[in-house]
Amino acid sequence: MIEVKNLTKQYGDHLAVDDLSFTVDEGSVYGFLGPNGAGKSTTMNIMTGYLAPTEGEVIINGYSILDEPEKAKRTIGYLPEIPPLYPDMTVREYLTFAAELKKVPRKDRKAQVARVMEELSITDVADRLIKNLSKGYKQRVGFAQALVSNPETLILDEPTVGLDPKQIIEIRELIKELGKKHTVILSSHILAEVSEICDTVMIISNGRLVALDTPENLAAGQGQGTQIIISSPADAETLESVLTAFAGEGKVNISEGSDGLLTATIDYEGEGDPRKEIVTALAKAGCPYYSVDVKKASLEDIFLELTENEGDVDYSEADEDDSEAEEEESVSSTDALDAEGDESRADKDDSEADRDESETEDASGEDKDASDKKADTFGDSAEKAGEEV
């Protein structure tokens, strides 16, 4: 279970996450959606402990990610958008290393590594270097490291990126299966994928939560229920008179195509599928038709309406602010390295000065010894001359 309470993240003047609160229940698959720059990745990074919030807290399976980060992280399996791989390791070496980092008991590591390689269908490349794998295989290796400790919670950022259609289907089925035993949060830009896999959908826009419900309830709440579309060669008046009874408080929208056929659209607010009753009514009225189709609101329709209602947001500016924040952090790191370099050079200069001073003292000592020796020689010569005299 995950509890996010009043989460806020600010980069300078830009508010990336704005007082965000939600709860993720156990044993469910949650889809996490939002436009680019809406704060989705920032929120996921805070939830996994990769980034500190400005305000608020995150409780992962009873542990605060801020106060008890090690305990909280042990219950999380995280697959970032770019998998954290070591290209010069083999797949087996890397997963064994990941299992060690995640505190998997030594006696269980070999079995856990074998299990995740089997689940992700990467056993056949177990002894190949990661740098020699295709993008799809690298993605699956990244997924495997998230699973190797058998965590209670899985947070997956774009898990099917780079996979071929067959692999995508396999991963979707795996995520569904994992959702029965784990809490799964899935971020994806493929909305049809989220609709197929997820029990619940969370949508954020401009750093705020704008929806948290099942896709069906979201459609009903947005007034985007079932649409009935009829194609007919009849006249507009006859078609409208028959369909008005099914339109409820709405109206029948009729348009004419280039082929001369009329297309009538009504928003049906009743229960079940009304096509049988519509076909019967058209037949009784002697109104010919070519087709009667049902269109339900898609997750794409809901997503667009919810995010557009939040107003126009300059997401490029948000991305720019995030980049500036990363750049500032990079500059700070560079400054720190420069400072260390300056200190090292200062130490080197001091060392050279000490060496020069030492050499000077040695030279002075040698000169003194030479003078003393010369004086002794001169004294001996003078003494000898005196004896001769």
Side-chain angles (χ1 to χ4, degrees), residues 223-242:
Q224 296 188 6
T226 302
Q227 274 193 335
I228 309 298
I229 303 171
I230 301 97
S231 176
S232 171
D235 62 274
E237 186 177 344
T238 303
L239 191 58
E240 184 176 5
S241 64
V242 175

Side-chain angles (χ1 to χ4, degrees), residues 24-30 178-180 182-185 199-200:
V24 177
D25 296 323
E26 295 179 23
S28 300
V29 181
Y30 281 69
L178 290 170
K180 298 175 182 178
H182 305 261
T183 301
V184 182
I185 296 180
D199 308 311
T200 305

Side-chain angles (χ1 to χ4, degrees), residues 187-234:
S187 170
S188 176
H189 283 102
I190 306 172
L191 300 188
E193 177 175 88
V194 173
S195 183
E196 180 183 342
I197 297 174
C198 301
D199 308 311
T200 305
V201 176
M202 296 183 289
I203 301 177
I204 68 170
S205 182
N206 199 18
R208 296 187 296 271
L209 185 68
V210 296
L212 173 58
D213 212 329
T214 65
E216 295 77 16
N217 288 344
L218 286 176
Q222 291 302 113
Q224 296 188 6
T226 302
Q227 274 193 335
I228 309 298
I229 303 171
I230 301 97
S231 176
S232 171

Side-chain angles (χ1 to χ4, degrees), residues 31-159:
F32 196 38
L33 305 176
N36 288 332
K40 184 172 75 278
S41 294
T42 299
T43 303
M44 295 182 79
N45 282 330
I46 293 173
M47 290 167 62
T48 53
Y50 280 74
L51 195 63
T54 305
E55 293 178 12
E57 65 176 335
V58 178
I59 308 297
I60 308 286
N61 301 309
Y63 302 112
S64 168
I65 197 69
L66 297 176
D67 299 331
E68 302 173 284
E70 188 171 343
K71 290 180 180 179
K73 288 177 182 180
R74 283 185 185 178
T75 68
I76 300 173
Y78 180 38
L79 173 63
E81 188 173 356
I82 301 175
L85 305 177
Y86 288 89
D88 291 324
M89 285 184 172
T90 66
V91 173
R92 193 189 307 276
E93 288 171 344
Y94 170 69
L95 293 177
T96 303
F97 173 62
E100 184 178 352
L101 289 179
K102 293 170 184 286
K103 310 292 185 182
V104 175
R106 183 184 294 273
K107 61 184 178 62
D108 298 331
R109 286 176 198 163
K110 188 174 181 180
Q112 289 288 75
V113 169
R115 175 185 64 82
V116 295
M117 287 197 299
E118 182 68 26
E119 285 183 347
L120 274 300
S121 302
I122 53 176
T123 306
D124 56 330
V125 296
D127 297 311
R128 289 181 59 184
L129 291 176
I130 292 174
K131 67 182 178 183
N132 295 331
L133 300 180
S134 67
K135 181 175 175 59
Y137 268 112
K138 287 178 180 176
Q139 187 72 10
R140 284 192 277 170
V141 173
F143 201 149
Q145 68 78 27
L147 283 173
V148 74
S149 62
N150 195 27
E152 297 173 45
T153 301
L154 282 169
I155 298 179
L156 312 174
D157 194 355
E158 302 285 352

